[in-house]
Amino acid sequence: MIWPLAYAVLGSLAGVLAGLMGIGGGLVFVPGLLFLFYLQGFDPRWLSHLAIGTSLAIIVPTAVSSLWAHHRRGAVDWRAVTLLAPGLALGAMTGAWLASQVSTGWLKNLFGLFLFVVAWQMLTGIAPDGRAQKSGVGLFALVGAGIGAVSGLVGIGGGTMSVPFLLWQGKSLPKAVATSAACGLPIALAGALGFMLMGAGKTAAAATGFIYWPAVWMTGIFAVVMAPLGARMAHSLPVRALKRLFALLLVVVGLRLLLS
C-alpha cells in the first residue's frame, strides 16, 4: 500500500500548491514522479519519459476541474482558446515525439533548466505590459505551437508561458489565468496521447506507453480534491512570500536534477 499512499501525498501537495499559488501541477508532478518511479525500480532508460507522460495524463482531470470553475465565473476568453488550441495540440504532440528521441538523462536535465526559468519568473515577478495587441490567427497558431511543444517536452500545462502571452495581448490577470487554465486541456490531452503512442511496447504492465495509470488515478484524484483547500488558504497566508520560497525550492530541485 505504500505506493498508492505516496501518489496520494504527491497529488495532495500538488493540488494545494496549485490552489494556493496558481502554479501548474507539472512542476510538482514531474520531479515527484521521477523520485517515486526510481524508488519503485522502473527501467532507468524511461524514468523521465514515464514521469513526463504520466504528468500530462494527470493534468487532464485537473485542467477540466480548473477550466470548469473559471468558466462558471465567465472568466475564460474562449476566442483566444479557440485560436491557440490547434497550435497547442500540435505542439504538444511534437514535444512528445521530441522527448521520445532523447535519453532520460537529457530530459531530466532539460526539466531542471526549465525549473530555473520558472523560478526566475516567480522571483522577479516580471510580466509583459498589458497593452492590447491586434494579432492575427497566424501569430496565435505559432505561439500556441511553441507553448505546446515546450509543455509536451517537459510535462506541464503551459501556464508559465500562456499567461504572459495573454497578458501581452491585453487580457487582465484574472482572465489570462482563467484562459490559460482552459488552454492546459488541449496540451495535456495531445501530449498524453503522444506519450502513449511514442512509448508503445517500451514499458511494463499497468502502463500504456509512457503513462503509468496507477499514478495517474491516485495522484489526479487527490490533486483535484485538494486544490480548493489551497485556494481557501490563499486568502489567509502570505502568498507572495510563499511563492518566493517555492521558487528557491525549484532552484534546489533543478540543481539536484542536473547534478544527479
Side-chain angles (χ1 to χ4, degrees):
M1 291 296 293
I2 188 171
W3 300 120
L5 178 60
Y7 294 136
V9 170
L10 177 62
S12 299
L13 176 62
V16 169
L17 289 175
L20 180 61
M21 302 184 194
I23 64 168
L27 295 175
V28 179
F29 293 144
V30 174
L33 290 170
L34 263 172
F35 179 65
L36 293 179
F37 290 164
Y38 170 77
L39 292 180
Q40 286 182 264
F42 287 0
D43 190 336
R45 294 176 299 168
W46 310 118
L47 282 180
S48 295
H49 302 79
L50 271 171
I52 292 170
T54 302
S55 172
L56 288 166
I58 297 168
I59 289 171
V60 172
T62 58
V64 170
S65 175
S66 179
L67 179 160
W68 180 246
H70 286 298
H71 172 70
R72 289 177 63 185
R73 298 185 181 187
V76 179
D77 185 336
W78 286 107
R79 179 179 178 276
V81 175
T82 302
L83 290 174
L84 286 167
L88 293 170
L90 180 60
M93 287 286 286
T94 302
W97 175 80
L98 288 171
S100 71
Q101 304 302 304
V102 299
S103 70
T104 193
W106 194 94
L107 279 178
K108 178 170 61 68
N109 291 337
L110 178 65
F111 189 81
L113 291 172
F114 182 76
L115 291 184
F116 291 157
V117 175
V118 176
W120 174 80
Q121 186 184 50
M122 294 179 75
L123 287 170
T124 60
I126 294 176
D129 189 359
R131 300 174 189 166
Q133 302 289 327
K134 294 183 178 179
S135 303
V137 174
L139 177 64
F140 273 82
L142 184 63
V143 170
I147 292 172
V150 174
S151 301
L153 193 55
V154 297
I156 63 169
T160 55
M161 294 169 285
S162 56
V163 169
F165 172 71
L166 291 165
L167 289 173
W168 179 67
Q169 285 293 304
K171 313 299 180 190
S172 65
L173 181 59
K175 187 168 282 290
V177 170
T179 305
S180 172
C183 289
L185 184 57
I187 290 174
L189 283 171
L193 178 60
F195 274 88
M196 281 186 200
L197 297 175
M198 301 305 166
K202 296 178 180 177
T203 49
T208 305
F210 291 133
I211 295 179
Y212 185 62
W213 293 109
V216 172
W217 301 128
M218 288 300 295
T219 308
I221 288 170
F222 279 87
V224 170
V225 169
M226 297 302 289
L229 173 61
R232 289 195 294 271
M233 292 168 63
H235 296 285
S236 57
L237 294 177
V239 176
R240 182 173 296 180
L242 288 173
K243 275 193 173 183
R244 289 174 179 166
L245 182 62
F246 183 71
L248 294 175
L249 177 61
L250 291 182
V251 172
V252 173
V253 174
L255 284 172
R256 181 72 179 84
L257 292 173
L258 288 171
L259 298 175
S260 63

